Amino acid sequence: MTEPTTDKLANTEALAERVTAAAGMTATDGAPAEVARPAADAAPTDVLTAAQRVALARQPGRPGVAEFIKALFGDFFEQRGDRSQTDDPSIMGGIARFHGRPVTVIGNRKGATIEERIACNFGMASPEGYRKAQRIMRAAEKFGRPIITFVDTSGAYPGLEAEEHGQGEAIARSIELMSSLTVPVVSVITGEGGSGGALALAVGNRVLMLENAVYSVLSPEGFASILWKDASRADEACEVMKLTADDLLELGVIDGIIPEPAGGAHENSQALFQVVDTAISRELAELEKMSRPALLEDRYRKFRAMGATAVRRGRV
């Protein structure tokens, strides 16, 4: 690994100050900085539009699950195959250590080069990918390992072969399985969180989003095409869909926002890794205090409350 430049070190320090300030702490408190959790009615701190955040979420240079695993985890052992058909490289998962504790890590893999992107189908998983994730999650449940997921996909693959192999059933089974897990589950939306393909890895006790990530039922282009019959109105759709981290925190869909370096996650990934590490550590520390039945109940109540939260705030 190359040594960080002076500018990147400065950006790292600035980012750390943002996190500690958001948590109401100083750097000398001796406790880890918390994830930024602004009040629901807090004024925005920047001028980026929803469409600009969508563009940043899709930025090819954003770190993916492979980069997060390399930076945050040790002794990673990748598990492959769904034990039925084949291995889908667009889902990456396995066993690792996080600050010494054994965990299971799963995430959408888009790939870094054009060859990798083609091999990973640009992060759009097949039914075999979701069944592989289910196999890995069942093992985590059996051995009591916390599960950490990294979500970055425009959606599940909608091709004919995927539908013939039971795409809808595979996604539904993943959601069902995650809803019944009795181990801590922390999900991080790192880029695009598209439709059921994202939700299939995001039924967590705690769902965090990077500052410039997005999470929605479908793409802005698809939304504009369906609602207005005009895909060119995608930028307008971005505002209507309420898909940014700030919007979703207000609606109670996510539990926290992880700040990104100025310019986006791709500008200083090392600084981002430090903040993501702190965020996951904090959430796991809270969740590991809970019993297995309590974790199941906590996750159930979290998702049951989402629509009620939106209604109470007059948003639907």
Side-chain angles (χ1 to χ4, degrees):
M1 183 179 297
T2 59
E3 291 295 323
T5 64
T6 302
D7 288 343
K8 288 189 175 182
L9 286 172
N11 287 340
T12 302
E13 294 172 357
L15 186 58
E17 290 177 0
R18 288 178 62 192
V19 178
T20 53
M25 301 166 60
T26 65
T28 58
D29 284 336
E34 297 184 355
V35 183
R37 294 174 185 252
D41 57 352
T45 58
D46 52 53
V47 294
L48 287 181
T49 65
Q52 288 172 324
R53 293 195 188 279
V54 170
L56 283 171
R58 294 173 173 175
Q59 219 285 338
R62 287 179 76 86
V65 62
E67 289 73 33
F68 280 108
I69 288 174
K70 183 178 180 180
L72 304 182
F73 302 91
D75 299 328
F76 177 67
F77 177 79
E78 184 175 1
Q79 297 172 274
R80 298 179 179 176
D82 67 345
R83 295 296 187 268
S84 176
Q85 296 288 328
T86 186
D87 179 60
D88 179 2
S90 68
I91 296 288
M92 184 178 187
I95 305 167
R97 289 189 180 276
F98 182 69
H99 293 286
R101 64 162 72 85
V103 298
T104 289
V105 189
I106 307 172
N108 303 105
R109 177 163 51 187
K110 287 184 174 180
T113 65
I114 187 62
E115 292 79 13
E116 288 180 358
R117 288 178 180 273
I118 292 172
C120 295
N121 203 23
F122 298 88
M124 295 183 291
S126 66
E128 290 77 16
Y130 291 113
R131 292 181 182 124
K132 174 171 69 172
Q134 293 165 34
R135 179 175 73 84
I136 296 171
M137 287 188 279
R138 289 191 184 98
E141 172 78 358
K142 179 178 180 179
F143 293 102
R145 291 191 298 267
I147 298 173
I148 302 166
T149 67
F150 294 93
V151 179
D152 183 14
T153 179
S154 59
Y157 182 55
L160 177 61
E161 184 178 11
E163 297 299 337
E164 290 176 341
H165 290 188
Q167 184 70 287
E169 183 271 347
I171 292 172
R173 291 291 185 187
S174 286
I175 294 172
E176 178 187 38
L177 175 60
M178 293 195 78
S179 299
S180 65
L181 294 170
T182 61
V183 295
V185 182
V186 177
S187 299
V188 184
I189 315 295
T190 62
E192 293 181 277
S195 193
L199 183 60
L201 296 182
V203 185
N205 295 92
R206 299 293 181 268
V207 180
L208 309 175
M209 281 181 72
L210 298 194
E211 185 178 2
N212 294 313
V214 294
Y215 193 20
S216 61
V217 68
L218 78 169
S219 70
E221 293 81 3
F223 182 97
S225 296
I226 293 170
L227 191 63
W228 302 312
K229 312 300 180 185
D230 184 1
S232 67
R233 297 175 66 180
D235 285 2
E236 183 180 350
C238 292
E239 300 294 340
V240 173
M241 293 173 69
K242 303 299 181 185
L243 44 63
T244 69
D246 286 331
D247 292 327
L248 296 171
L249 183 66
E250 180 181 351
L251 292 171
V253 174
I254 65 170
D255 302 292
I257 300 173
I258 301 176
E260 294 187 24
H266 59 288
E267 292 291 344
N268 189 349
S269 58
Q270 294 304 315
L272 178 71
F273 293 148
Q274 293 180 27
V275 183
V276 172
D277 183 280
T278 297
I280 294 174
S281 295
R282 175 189 181 278
E283 299 300 345
L284 278 183
E286 292 182 2
L287 294 172
E288 288 179 328
K289 297 174 183 177
M290 302 170 66
S291 67
R292 285 199 164 201
L295 286 165
L296 182 61
E297 181 69 12
D298 171 80
R299 195 180 309 114
Y300 172 80
R301 290 188 178 278
K302 169 185 169 57
F303 280 84
R304 287 291 293 174
M306 284 182 182
T309 300
V311 170
R312 285 198 301 272
R313 291 175 177 170
R315 298 301 294 270
V316 296

